[in-house]
Amino acid sequence: MGKKLYVGNLSYDVDNVALEQLFSQHGKVESVQIIQDRDTGRSKGFGFVEMGSDAEAQAAITALNGQQHSGRALTVNEAKPREDRSRGTGGGGGRGRY
């Protein structure tokens, strides 16, 4: 399985197609996902790209991290596993109303 990369500091007008084209210069792109705001549908300025192999992922990191794209210096590194965020109650510290 290929490596999943985090891509940060994206211009808000970069779409999945443009991001795939940028990374495909460095190997086979398995998937592209730009994270969007749930309410507005606007890009949050970061996304994920999954490359076909570890070597291709490393080539993309080496070539693109810190490079200018649409006037912004990209941050490209290996994505960290997503942490499980529970949606339970926030716990009020024991201060209840009486």
Side-chain angles (χ1 to χ4, degrees):
M1 185 171 125
K3 288 270 191 209
K4 193 168 192 178
L5 303 176
Y6 165 83
V7 186
N9 204 28
L10 288 170
S11 170
Y12 295 117
D13 58 347
V14 172
D15 62 10
N16 287 342
V17 174
L19 195 57
E20 182 174 358
Q21 289 174 347
L22 180 65
F23 276 78
S24 66
Q25 299 170 33
H26 307 286
K28 184 172 191 268
V29 175
E30 298 287 335
S31 67
V32 175
Q33 180 185 23
I34 293 180
I35 305 303
Q36 297 178 329
D37 183 272
R38 166 180 349 189
D39 297 326
T40 66
R42 182 178 157 171
S43 167
K44 286 191 167 187
F46 71 95
F48 299 94
V49 175
E50 188 172 354
M51 301 297 290
S53 72
D54 292 352
E56 291 168 334
Q58 189 57 54
I61 290 170
T62 301
L64 297 173
N65 188 41
Q67 294 300 309
Q68 292 288 322
H69 185 265
S70 296
R72 301 180 83 157
L74 295 178
T75 299
V76 182
N77 52 44
E78 190 173 339
K80 295 178 174 72
R82 185 174 178 166
E83 292 181 11
D84 185 29
R85 292 187 275 166
S86 64
R87 291 187 171 234
T89 58
R95 299 178 314 210
R97 289 179 145 180
Y98 295 101

